[in-house]
Structures are given as structure tokens and as C-alpha cells.
Amino acid sequence: MSEKRILEVGYIEYPETSLYYRAVKINVEDYPELSGKTDEEIVEYVKENAFEMKPLNSDWYDSLGEQ
């Protein structure tokens, strides 16, 4: 007769949180700090500085990152 094997298996459940991002179109000419940068450099710059950049034509938002 084989040995009876009983295992106790536990798990941790994490709540799922989703973040949804939407695209914002940026006219590079409206932001002098983007002048002379490649497309890849612009994307990285905006990702890192969006909350310091001013939104255009917006009374609702304080920064491009909020917009």
C-alpha cells in the first residue's frame, strides 16, 4: 500500500487594479523644449516631464500630465 500524501496549499490573492492611458496629441512646435529632439527623445521627455509641462488651451488642467 502506498503512503497517503496530504498537501496543504495556500495562495495569496491580490486585488487587481487597472490603469488606462489615453493618447494626447502634441504639436512639437508648441513646446520649444522639444525642438531638435528625435521622436524617441520626445516620447521619453514627455513621459518624464508631463506634469511640469503646461497644457495648451485648457482651463481645466494644470499640466499636460493631468490633461
Side-chain angles (χ1 to χ4, degrees):
M1 183 190 261
S2 65
E3 182 180 325
K4 190 175 195 178
R5 297 176 70 192
I6 299 174
L7 301 177
E8 183 174 334
V9 179
Y11 67 94
I12 299 173
E13 184 176 324
Y14 294 98
E16 184 176 324
T17 303
S18 299
L19 297 175
Y20 297 96
Y21 296 96
R22 61 182 178 87
V24 176
K25 291 185 181 182
I26 299 172
N27 183 347
V28 176
E29 294 175 3
D30 292 332
Y31 294 93
E33 64 266 38
L34 303 178
S35 178
K37 294 186 180 346
T38 66
D39 289 352
E40 292 81 16
E41 290 171 330
I42 290 171
V43 170
E44 285 304 311
Y45 183 90
V46 172
K47 283 181 181 179
E48 293 173 4
N49 299 289
F51 288 94
E52 285 79 44
M53 298 173 73
K54 296 290 180 194
L56 296 177
N57 305 321
S58 177
D59 294 331
W60 294 70
Y61 302 103
D62 292 326
S63 71
L64 185 63
E66 289 179 4
Q67 186 177 358

